[in-house]
Amino acid sequence: MLTFEKVLEIFEDYLAQDMELEVYKSRYGYVCVSFNGSPPDPPYCEGDVCRTPEELFDHLLVEYESFAAIQLTKGRREENKADEEQVRHLCQKYLDRREEAMK
């Protein structure tokens, strides 16, 4: 069974890199907050509530996919097929970690 703590462990390396994303446990589930702007005072933030650890995993995987694409393209160009394939490959490690955690 996937738990909140296990999801954070799976994505630990990604969450340490992405300085715009925070994950919190709340009474309503799990909240992912994206801070957009320049520190120390971001001009705005937006958040998503994930009701289950599985939903949180899926949300973080999508966030990581976007993050990885920006890292590859440096945010300066559109993704090409090679980039998309590399992002899929990078995302696979999280899917593998989830599978291992479910054993």
Side-chain angles (χ1 to χ4, degrees), residues 69 73 75-81 83-84:
T73 64
R76 296 187 191 136
R77 62 177 173 80
E78 293 293 318
E79 285 179 75
N80 59 37
K81 293 284 184 195
D83 296 328
E84 291 172 3

Side-chain angles (χ1 to χ4, degrees), residues 3 24 34 45 47 49 51-52 56 58-59 70 79 84 89-90 97 100 103:
T3 65
Y24 305 99
S34 295
C45 64
V49 175
R51 304 234 182 256
T52 66
L56 176 62
D58 292 342
H59 183 80
I70 290 169
E79 285 179 75
E84 291 172 3
H89 177 74
L90 290 168
R97 289 176 187 173
E100 185 65 32
K103 290 182 181 179

Side-chain angles (χ1 to χ4, degrees), residues 35-92:
F35 293 91
N36 300 296
S38 301
D41 298 311
Y44 68 94
C45 64
E46 57 188 12
D48 295 291
V49 175
C50 301
R51 304 234 182 256
T52 66
E54 291 81 9
E55 193 177 325
L56 176 62
F57 178 91
D58 292 342
H59 183 80
L60 288 175
L61 189 62
V62 169
E63 291 289 333
Y64 175 73
E65 186 176 22
S66 296
F67 178 82
I70 290 169
Q71 294 293 306
L72 282 173
T73 64
K74 309 272 190 265
R76 296 187 191 136
R77 62 177 173 80
E78 293 293 318
E79 285 179 75
N80 59 37
K81 293 284 184 195
D83 296 328
E84 291 172 3
E85 183 59 36
Q86 190 168 357
V87 168
R88 272 192 294 278
H89 177 74
L90 290 168
C91 288
Q92 187 61 47

